[in-house]
Amino acid sequence: MLNARSSLGTRVVVRASTGPAASGTRRFAMSESHPRPRPNARATNHDDVSCRAPASPGGLRHLGAVEAAALDTALMSDKHGFSIDQLMELAGLSVASAVAEVYSPLPPHPAPARVLLFCGPGNNGGDGLVAARHLHHFGFKPIVCYPSGGRSSRPSSCLYSGLVKQLEALAIPFLEVEQALELDADVVIDAMFGFSFKGEPRPPFDSILTRLAGADDGPPIVSVDIPSGWQVEQREIGDREKLIRPDMLVSLTAPKVCARLFRGRHHYLGGRFVPPEIKEAFKLYLPAYPGTSQCVRIG
């Protein structure tokens, strides 16, 4: 029997209609008529989503796709010296830190939380792979669904295959899509598509997004940088029934324009490394990070 956890609520509600369950995984068994209790903290009703973006909170500047790409280019310039794998490492650490801050199990339920990560084929997916490694070391039980498997003809493919090997060395399981959608998890991380994504998602990500969008009673969803399936410069909510509605958004370096539409309960910023010159050039006005934290709550 599945038990509710005080900080996490009932486990996964994502359900696949076909495909075998992975060995050792548990199928979801609660009726959809019994909604999952929300984690504690400030509740926000996702049904209250406005069609218009609100004013920018805290004076933070929200970046569009062109500005976000230019920011990454500036960071990786000869002058500033960051590399793609370094940025990915910092991003994944920020995501894992935010998840640990909000979704760590509370006594008397000390069992590690099971975190299911859906990772896409690009940099956003790489951030998810890094987050999985850090979550493991933070005491969580990450499980990864990575349809591309790090197999790519791109020059950076060795980076992704290396991230996969790091997870395999920790015995972190990888599941096929059908198995992942049957998994009983506490938290789902959406690391499928980032700010450079355009158009409609292709298989198998379209079916994953459709399932997550319909899982209102499912586990909390954490989106990395932007919710997958949203357009980075989206300013209005269209058919919200077709969009995933994450409980947490972890914006990276700076929030993107579509983050103004976010109505989940936890909005964090990760990216405690931006040089002052770049902050000034892009007029980021970033908040102070507390203590030694790699993330800061901004909503």
Side-chain angles (χ1 to χ4, degrees), residues 214-263:
D216 287 335
D217 294 333
I221 297 174
V222 177
S223 287
V224 176
D225 205 21
I226 71 170
S228 294
W230 293 30
Q231 304 301 313
V232 65
E233 295 178 3
Q234 187 168 328
R235 296 177 185 272
E236 294 185 356
I237 292 290
D239 187 354
R240 63 184 181 85
E241 296 301 323
K242 295 182 179 180
L243 297 175
I244 63 174
R245 297 176 295 282
D247 188 52
M248 173 187 283
L249 175 63
V250 184
S251 294
L252 299 175
T253 311
K256 310 309 181 287
V257 170
C258 65
R260 291 171 174 163
L261 298 173
F262 173 66
R263 292 295 183 276

Side-chain angles (χ1 to χ4, degrees), residues 15-266:
R15 189 202 307 263
S17 57
T18 60
S23 175
T25 63
R26 290 163 289 174
R27 292 171 180 260
F28 170 69
M30 189 179 78
S31 168
E32 293 181 0
S33 64
H34 296 79
R36 175 182 58 84
R38 290 290 185 184
N40 57 4
R42 299 170 299 171
T44 299
N45 189 343
H46 290 302
D47 292 336
D48 291 336
V49 173
S50 169
C51 290
R52 290 283 178 180
S56 175
L60 279 171
R61 184 150 182 257
H62 291 64
L63 304 182
V66 173
E67 289 178 305
L71 177 57
D72 278 358
T73 298
L75 288 167
M76 292 187 286
S77 67
D78 290 339
K79 182 174 184 179
H80 295 289
F82 287 90
S83 60
I84 184 63
D85 55 330
Q86 189 177 16
L87 294 179
M88 205 171 283
E89 185 68 28
L90 291 165
L93 176 58
S94 297
V95 171
S97 298
V99 169
E101 185 168 312
V102 173
Y103 300 113
S104 292
L106 298 176
H109 304 286
R114 290 159 61 95
V115 181
L116 173 61
L117 299 98
F118 288 103
C119 298
N123 293 345
N124 200 261
D127 297 342
L129 296 175
V130 172
R133 170 162 38 82
H134 287 293
L135 286 168
H136 170 85
H137 292 300
F138 289 170
F140 289 77
K141 294 185 67 176
I143 303 102
V144 177
C145 179
Y146 188 35
S148 65
R151 298 179 295 275
S152 172
S153 59
R154 296 179 303 174
S156 59
S157 62
C158 61
L159 167 59
Y160 297 96
S161 61
L163 294 175
V164 169
K165 291 177 182 177
Q166 293 166 17
L167 298 184
E168 291 174 338
L170 296 173
I172 292 174
F174 283 77
L175 301 183
E176 298 297 331
V177 172
E178 293 81 4
Q179 296 172 319
L181 291 174
E182 291 278 358
L183 185 72
D184 178 18
D186 296 303
V187 180
V188 171
I189 293 183
D190 153 36
M192 288 176 276
F193 302 115
F195 67 77
S196 61
F197 174 78
K198 295 180 180 179
E200 297 295 325
R202 293 180 292 183
F205 298 103
D206 55 349
S207 61
I208 296 173
L209 289 174
T210 297
R211 195 67 55 78
L212 294 180
D216 287 335
D217 294 333
I221 297 174
V222 177
S223 287
V224 176
D225 205 21
I226 71 170
S228 294
W230 293 30
Q231 304 301 313
V232 65
E233 295 178 3
Q234 187 168 328
R235 296 177 185 272
E236 294 185 356
I237 292 290
D239 187 354
R240 63 184 181 85
E241 296 301 323
K242 295 182 179 180
L243 297 175
I244 63 174
R245 297 176 295 282
D247 188 52
M248 173 187 283
L249 175 63
V250 184
S251 294
L252 299 175
T253 311
K256 310 309 181 287
V257 170
C258 65
R260 291 171 174 163
L261 298 173
F262 173 66
R263 292 295 183 276
R265 297 177 307 150
H266 311 288

